[in-house]
Amino acid sequence: QVQLVESGGGLVQAGGSLRLSCTASLRTFRASAMGWFRQPPGKEREFVAGIRWSDGRTDYADSVKGRFTISTDNAKITVYLQMNSLAPEDTALYYCAARFGFSSDLRKNYPYWGQGTQVTVSS
């Protein structure tokens, strides 16, 4: 059984920063990769960032490159999303995701999801 719990969302002004956190509880094995997705109001869920545990490889959506950074703690049980230079277009419900099987594509194949944390950026 896997449970993902996100935190760190809130209301900020454009240009501000937030750091999201996600902790994964595993029965035996750690996740092979974790990622962040977001769903703006009235739109479909989209990939934001992902990280692979084995070598630390990361991937980012073009819309957040240079502004967002994904990272993990030393125990590799928590994943973070540092969000800088936030804009109103970043307003969305942000989800943490995890997987165990190998995949070279960090943008897909995440069977486990958190409940989401709301990020709202005002003009």
Side-chain angles (χ1 to χ4, degrees), residues 27-46:
R27 297 180 67 185
T28 305
F29 302 105
R30 292 186 174 91
S32 61
M34 297 184 70
W36 289 96
F37 293 74
R38 67 186 182 186
Q39 186 169 15
K43 299 179 65 177
E44 295 182 346
R45 185 182 64 189
E46 63 185 23

Side-chain angles (χ1 to χ4, degrees), residues 33-85:
M34 297 184 70
W36 289 96
F37 293 74
R38 67 186 182 186
Q39 186 169 15
K43 299 179 65 177
E44 295 182 346
R45 185 182 64 189
E46 63 185 23
F47 171 79
V48 176
I51 185 167
R52 190 165 65 190
W53 266 219
S54 60
D55 57 3
R57 177 192 174 193
T58 59
D59 192 19
Y60 297 91
D62 290 341
S63 60
V64 306
K65 286 182 178 178
R67 300 189 298 121
F68 292 10
T69 302
I70 187 171
S71 63
T72 63
D73 64 0
N74 292 333
K76 298 183 179 180
I77 60 174
T78 302
V79 64
Y80 305 95
L81 185 67
Q82 178 66 46
M83 305 184 295
N84 299 326
S85 301

